[in-house]
Amino acid sequence: MGTTQLETVPEPKYWHLKTVLSDALDSEFRVGEILPNERDLAARFGVARATLRQALEQLELEGRLQRRRGVGTTVAPPRVGIAVDPDRHTWPGAPGDDWQPVDAAEAEAPPAAVARLLETAPGDRVHIVRRSRVTHGQPVAAELLYVRADAVPDCSGVASVSAPARAAAVLHALQALELESQDRTVELGSARAEDARQLDRLPGAPVLVVTTRYVADGRTTAVAVSTYRADTCRLTFGASDPVALLAG
Amino acid sequence: MGTTQLETVPEPKYWHLKTVLSDALDSEFRVGEILPNERDLAARFGVARATLRQALEQLELEGRLQRRRGVGTTVAPPRVGIAVDPDRHTWPGAPGDDWQPVDAAEAEAPPAAVARLLETAPGDRVHIVRRSRVTHGQPVAAELLYVRADAVPDCSGVASVSAPARAAAVLHALQALELESQDRTVELGSARAEDARQLDRLPGAPVLVVTTRYVADGRTTAVAVSTYRADTCRLTFGASDPVALLAG
DNA sequence: TAGTGGTCTAGACCACTAC
DNA sequence: TAGTGGTCTAGACCACTAG
């Protein structure tokens, strides 16, 4: 150290602001506390509101802040560890999983990316089960589960029963099949309007998209696309005790 | 359907713009093609440049676009599937892994979050090995591997050899230990200045942070914090054939 | 109704790249 | 040097929440 680098590359204001705010959050604020409003903060730091907002957006992305229109900006609690695969090789809907069926429908055309995974031809019918995951009273994930209709033949054409009942029927039928394997991908996405509503966020909010492929009878039988709130969630894999893991 | 919903909730301009641009990307552009510059695009759609940029940022976040200062905005190729755990229960640096050691150092104070995982007391020494992962000629991830110094005692105090050699020495010493288990977490973060440089991105760029805990001898012996480019990477878990998975 | 964050504008200048 | 995306400003209005 000693002679530090010259300020030949001045860092952007919003980046410096983010650092200052981050330090302040650590030392001067407690979880849940409300920050001054954006106009006050901007004035206090001598920057335009847009610049201040750029810093706040970064901090929100990192899970340090929570902003709600009409309410204010609060200090966020540490991210929650969410077990994505508790090492159980079971179908969705197996006893003890953390998801709740919302409704179900039958459709001919899943999104192209899903159809590719399911290896369905155009016209092949699929069940679409919508589920949601709630932890500590907060919605953390929304899911669309696509199931080949020919894998659960007893579930078709029961339009009379309620949507939740249809969802339960599809999930129940899956349990009878032998699950050979499953694999997952995780990527960054932005919440579609529908998911955003379910997650209590604005459309476009950053989400972690987990795509799970369920293989049975030698082929991909179901595909789950689960979108987790990226601001509040930390996905855990193969951890026996998630709470012991990295917090913040 | 039939009577669609009234436009009682007009969607934001940037959100609509994003949809329009996304469709245009699918139909009128090929991968690698250069889009008109931001000023032209904004004029063409009759919006301010800032609004246009908001739409482009979303598309970049979703991996659809790639923007480079001084160059332009290009259509991004589909995200690359990156195997995070090819089901091999091995230490980092085992033969055949996809990481290349960059350098190594010895320090007293790892970040607080890492120290908590390693269960080190202040003053306990740790080795810090920097590694990088390259796929298809592109840097996709940067990693800091923290190793308890007392787990690899032969690696200390060899300041005379080169940094890469020190890194290799620490990695080599790890192979001799018996790995009991490992677990991971995935969360969204933003690239620190150092990582950003290594990933050829600007500071603050969105990254997927994978934290891996390596357990040996009944305790956490090493912790790897790997930051993957969120715009270009799709992390795969337990997939035998990543290329067969969801693309785009 | 008052106050908050979310959206949008029309400029300006800067840092970087490639010619 | 010309052209690109990145940063920043000083406003304005809107949508939402809570008293």
Side-chain angles (χ1 to χ4, degrees):
Chain A
M1 301 305 172
T3 58
T4 6
Q5 84 231 338
L6 296 175
E7 195 80 72
T8 54
V9 184
E11 59 186 0
K13 277 190 187 179
Y14 79 90
W15 185 258
H16 181 243
L17 243 186
K18 182 196 134 183
T19 311
V20 172
L21 286 170
S22 182
D23 292 345
L25 290 182
D26 288 332
S27 58
E28 299 170 31
F29 288 88
R30 292 163 309 183
V31 168
E33 200 166 343
I34 301 180
L35 269 63
N37 71 54
E38 297 183 349
R39 290 161 180 86
D40 283 355
L41 277 178
R44 189 176 306 190
F45 287 106
V47 299
R49 190 178 156 218
T51 304
L52 185 269
R53 277 181 61 82
Q54 221 174 331
L56 294 184
E57 266 150 34
Q58 283 265 348
L59 290 170
E60 192 180 25
L61 202 75
E62 296 175 19
R64 306 287 314 271
L65 291 179
Q66 213 160 333
R67 299 193 289 174
R68 272 183 304 170
R69 171 156 44 176
V71 179
T73 302
T74 58
V75 180
R79 282 187 174 139
V80 186
I82 304 282
V84 169
D85 177 15
D87 221 14
R88 308 175 309 137
H89 294 278
T90 56
W91 290 100
D97 86 352
D98 301 308
W99 295 85
Q100 298 185 344
V102 174
D103 59 24
E106 204 174 338
E108 287 192 15
V114 173
R116 211 174 308 134
L117 285 176
L118 278 177
E119 300 163 48
T120 52
D124 289 352
R125 303 193 70 80
V126 296
H127 294 282
I128 305 180
V129 177
R130 176 169 278 273
R131 301 198 300 166
S132 89
R133 184 166 178 175
V134 175
T135 302
H136 305 327
Q138 299 288 341
V140 293
E143 183 184 83
L144 288 179
L145 175 67
Y146 301 88
V147 182
R148 290 182 67 114
D150 56 8
V152 287
D154 295 344
C155 294
S156 294
V158 283
S160 59
V161 297
S162 69
R166 245 179 297 143
V170 173
L171 293 174
H172 184 260
L174 279 179
Q175 314 302 321
L177 304 178
E178 186 179 356
L179 178 61
E180 290 174 12
S181 70
Q182 52 180 335
D183 51 53
R184 287 186 174 74
T185 71
V186 179
E187 61 187 314
L188 180 59
S190 48
R192 296 169 304 123
E194 206 172 358
D195 297 326
R197 217 175 313 124
Q198 203 168 337
L199 296 176
D200 192 25
R201 296 261 69 193
L202 292 177
V207 290
L208 296 171
V209 181
V210 180
T211 305
T212 309
R213 203 163 60 97
Y214 297 92
V215 179
D217 206 11
R219 69 183 183 190
T220 304
T221 298
V223 170
V225 179
S226 318
T227 65
Y228 290 81
R229 282 183 60 153
D231 55 345
T232 58
C233 293
R234 198 180 63 249
L235 308 183
T236 70
F237 290 84
S240 43
D241 181 16
V243 290
L245 296 177
L246 183 63
Chain B
M1 303 304 175
T3 58
T4 6
Q5 85 231 336
L6 297 174
E7 196 79 73
T8 54
V9 185
E11 58 186 359
K13 277 190 186 179
Y14 78 90
W15 185 258
H16 181 243
L17 243 185
K18 182 197 133 183
T19 310
V20 172
L21 285 171
S22 181
D23 292 346
L25 289 182
D26 288 332
S27 59
E28 300 170 31
F29 288 87
R30 292 163 309 185
V31 167
E33 199 167 343
I34 300 180
L35 269 64
N37 71 53
E38 297 184 349
R39 290 162 180 86
D40 283 355
L41 277 178
R44 188 176 309 191
F45 288 106
V47 299
R49 191 178 155 217
T51 304
L52 185 269
R53 278 180 60 81
Q54 221 174 332
L56 294 184
E57 266 150 35
Q58 283 264 350
L59 290 170
E60 191 180 25
L61 201 74
E62 296 174 19
R64 306 287 313 271
L65 292 179
Q66 213 160 334
R67 300 193 288 174
R68 273 182 304 170
R69 170 156 46 178
V71 179
T73 301
T74 58
V75 180
R79 283 191 173 136
V80 186
I82 304 283
V84 169
D85 179 14
D87 223 11
R88 307 175 309 137
H89 293 277
T90 57
W91 290 102
D97 86 353
D98 301 308
W99 294 85
Q100 299 185 343
V102 174
D103 59 25
E106 203 174 338
E108 287 192 15
V114 173
R116 210 174 308 134
L117 285 176
L118 278 177
E119 299 164 47
T120 53
D124 289 352
R125 303 192 71 80
V126 296
H127 295 283
I128 306 180
V129 178
R130 176 170 277 273
R131 301 198 299 167
S132 89
R133 184 166 178 174
V134 176
T135 301
H136 305 328
Q138 299 288 340
V140 292
E143 182 184 84
L144 288 179
L145 174 67
Y146 301 88
V147 182
R148 291 181 65 115
D150 56 8
V152 286
D154 295 345
C155 295
S156 294
V158 282
S160 60
V161 296
S162 69
R166 245 179 297 144
V170 173
L171 292 174
H172 184 261
L174 278 180
Q175 315 302 322
L177 304 179
E178 185 178 356
L179 178 61
E180 291 174 12
S181 69
Q182 53 180 335
D183 52 52
R184 288 186 174 75
T185 71
V186 179
E187 61 187 315
L188 179 59
S190 48
R192 296 170 303 123
E194 206 172 356
D195 297 326
R197 218 174 311 125
Q198 202 169 337
L199 296 176
D200 192 25
R201 295 263 67 194
L202 292 177
V207 290
L208 295 171
V209 181
V210 179
T211 306
T212 309
R213 204 163 59 97
Y214 297 92
V215 179
D217 206 10
R219 67 183 183 190
T220 305
T221 298
V223 169
V225 180
S226 319
T227 65
Y228 290 80
R229 282 183 60 153
D231 55 344
T232 58
C233 293
R234 198 180 65 248
L235 308 183
T236 71
F237 290 84
S240 42
D241 181 14
V243 290
L245 294 179
L246 184 63

